[in-house]
Amino acid sequence: MAEHVLVPVDGSPQSIAALRFATSEWPDARLTLLHIINPSNADYRERALSGTQEWYQEEKREARETFAEAKAEVGLVDDERDVDEQIAVGSPAGTIVDVLEADDADFDHVVMGSHGRTGVSRIVLGSVAEAVVRHAPVPVTIVR
């Protein structure tokens, strides 16, 4: 029985499905929603023109909106459940593993969505879910 579950959320249907699965599979578990701000997704001009700090603050605001929308989508808004929110910066797979391996981390499971890439696109683009499965110190459930 999982007691503390990490659920990376990016607003995609797959991450919402993962959150829905986690809430139904472990109704009493503490949940931590993780949103990763990936600097490589920002275009250089966007960061240079607006300033790095302003860009980062906008990304954090969008992350908080993503949390609110995800929780509303699965009915966690009025729920009494213990749901934490965490924002981190970095590449998605590496950052998820880093969060799991942090000294104060007490996660015992990860539930995440898979974007379902196969073939050449999976090889070229890589798979965040696959990298997390390979390197996570706790069990990982992938939801499609």
Side-chain angles (χ1 to χ4, degrees):
M1 179 73 153
E3 293 181 18
H4 190 183
V5 179
L6 179 68
V7 184
V9 294
D10 60 6
S12 68
Q14 295 86 354
S15 70
I16 300 300
L19 180 56
R20 184 171 283 115
F21 177 83
T23 59
S24 67
E25 188 70 19
W26 297 286
D28 298 324
R30 182 172 149 215
L31 298 175
T32 295
L33 307 183
L34 173 66
H35 183 83
I36 299 166
I37 297 171
N38 187 351
S40 68
N41 287 346
D43 131 345
Y44 174 75
R45 287 177 294 156
E46 180 180 292
R47 286 182 285 164
L49 293 175
S50 67
T52 302
Q53 193 61 24
E54 289 83 6
W55 174 83
Y56 178 65
Q57 292 305 321
E58 177 63 20
E59 291 294 312
K60 283 177 43 178
R61 185 191 63 71
E62 289 179 16
R64 288 189 293 273
E65 286 179 9
T66 299
F67 289 141
E69 291 167 3
K71 288 175 10 182
E73 183 76 26
V74 300
L76 287 176
V77 175
D78 297 324
D79 199 318
E80 297 295 319
R81 173 177 238 164
D82 189 8
V83 179
D84 298 322
E85 298 172 354
Q86 184 173 349
I87 299 170
V89 177
S91 66
T95 303
I96 292 167
V97 173
D98 289 346
V99 166
L100 292 168
E101 292 177 339
D103 289 338
D104 60 345
D106 64 346
F107 300 105
D108 50 17
H109 206 97
V110 178
V111 178
M112 58 188 297
S114 170
H115 286 277
R117 294 186 179 110
T118 59
V120 173
S121 104
R122 180 176 156 268
I123 293 168
V124 172
L125 299 173
S127 172
V128 172
E130 181 181 0
V132 172
V133 167
R134 290 183 183 271
H135 301 286
V138 298
V140 179
T141 299
I142 306 298
V143 177
R144 277 193 177 202

